[in-house]
């Protein structure tokens, strides 16, 4: 049976969440957004959520051990057997290496990394215009998250480049145009 584990990688505001939800609905892949999982913990007030929120409100990365705990938990649920899209994860080299180990434990490997390419200025404009009411969509925090993404990029992209897993998509287009490319790439990954 066709199966694929795909990382959606890109700066905040690149639209990868929207693309991931569309791909989830079309291909039946599970959408694993560490940001969404963390926000769920925060709103439920779990100990993990309380701890994670100290970093999130400042736009800082949540420590790897907390992130890996929620990803492991999510990946172990049976609905992930057909594959998954990782959104906002991995964000460090250690997370990328740990993901390989988690997938290996399940007898799988990462299929592809789709990199959403967007100029910094466009990313900034989109976040400033975003009205989701998120606590971290404030101007000072936005700048921090944008700066951090540069570091995330430098830590994660070379790791996947070395494995030949990266496919780039121009994210400075309409949702429909981007999805046409994403769709074709997922079909390639599922083969
Ligand atoms: P996101 O919704 O992906 O923009 O994530 C929102 C916030 O959650 C980030 O600014 C981080 O504080 C935290 N976060 C989400 N995913 C990760 C991750 N993989 N590693 C570290 N922190 C994360």
């Amino acid at each position: 049976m066709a199966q694929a584990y795909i990382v959606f990688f890109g700066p905040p505001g690149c639209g990868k969440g929207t693309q991931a939800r569309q791909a989830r609905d079309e291909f039946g892949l599970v959408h694993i957004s560490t940001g969404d999982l963390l926000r769920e913990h925060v709103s439920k007030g779990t100990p993990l959520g309380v701890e994670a929120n100290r970093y999130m409100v400042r736009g800082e990365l949540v420590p790897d051990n907390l992130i890996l705990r929620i990803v492991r938990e999510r990946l172990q649920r049976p609905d992930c057997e057909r594959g998954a899209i990782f959104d906002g994860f991995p964000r460090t080299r250690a997370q990328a290496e740990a993901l390989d180990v988690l997938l290996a434990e399940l007898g799988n490997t990462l299929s592809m990394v789709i990199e959403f390419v967007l100029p910094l200025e466009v990313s900034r404009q989109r976040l400033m215009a975003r009205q989701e009411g998120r606590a971290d969509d404030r101007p000072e925090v936005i700048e921090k998250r944008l700066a951090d993404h540069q570091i995330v990029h430098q830590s994660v992209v070379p790791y996947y480049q070395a494995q030949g897993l990266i496919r780039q998509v121009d994210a400075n287009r309409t949702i429909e145009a981007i999805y046409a490319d994403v769709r074709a790439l997922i079909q390639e990954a599922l083969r």
Side-chain angles (χ1 to χ4, degrees):
M1 187 178 29
Q3 188 194 41
Y5 294 89
I6 304 170
V7 167
F8 278 24
F9 185 86
C14 72
K16 60 189 185 302
T18 302
Q19 297 291 326
R21 282 184 285 274
Q22 245 174 280
R24 169 198 65 195
D25 293 343
E26 180 170 356
F27 294 99
L29 299 166
V30 170
H31 175 206
I32 303 184
S33 156
T34 44
D36 286 351
L37 290 171
L38 288 168
R39 282 184 287 276
E40 217 175 285
H41 275 278
V42 172
S43 68
K44 284 187 190 152
T46 69
L48 191 149
V50 171
E51 168 81 4
N53 201 38
R54 302 203 335 241
Y55 301 90
M56 293 169 76
V57 291
R58 285 184 254 138
E60 286 170 13
L61 289 185
V62 172
D64 289 339
N65 66 318
L66 299 184
I67 299 295
L68 292 170
R69 210 193 299 167
I70 59 171
V71 172
R72 176 181 289 112
E73 212 171 87
R74 186 66 193 85
L75 264 181
Q76 279 166 351
R77 289 199 233 153
D79 60 348
C80 291
E81 274 168 20
R82 304 238 342 256
I85 295 168
F86 301 97
D87 165 7
F89 171 87
R91 273 180 154 98
T92 63
R93 168 82 183 233
Q95 289 179 18
E97 288 171 359
L99 176 60
D100 285 345
V101 173
L102 285 176
L103 289 175
E105 280 168 12
L106 298 170
N108 288 299
T109 56
L110 195 63
S111 319
M112 183 182 280
V113 176
I114 300 182
E115 182 189 354
F116 294 84
V117 181
L118 193 67
L120 179 64
E121 196 40 49
V122 181
S123 189
R124 180 181 287 123
Q125 283 163 9
R126 287 193 189 172
L127 290 180
M128 295 291 188
R130 189 149 89 175
Q131 292 296 333
E132 287 176 8
R134 275 174 50 169
D136 57 356
D137 275 348
R138 292 178 292 121
E140 346 51 285
V141 182
I142 286 173
E143 286 310 319
K144 173 92 177 84
R145 287 163 62 211
L146 289 172
D148 271 13
H149 180 72
Q150 312 294 319
I151 299 164
V152 169
H153 192 280
Q154 287 160 23
S155 345
V156 172
V157 168
Y159 180 73
Y160 289 132
Q161 238 155 16
Q163 299 177 58
L165 285 174
I166 299 202
R167 301 284 185 283
Q168 290 188 332
V169 167
D170 175 4
N172 199 7
R173 297 179 296 161
T174 63
I175 291 174
E176 294 73 25
I178 300 168
Y179 189 68
D181 288 357
V182 167
R183 193 167 187 274
L185 287 171
I186 293 176
Q187 279 164 341
E188 182 191 324
L190 281 167
R191 273 203 290 270

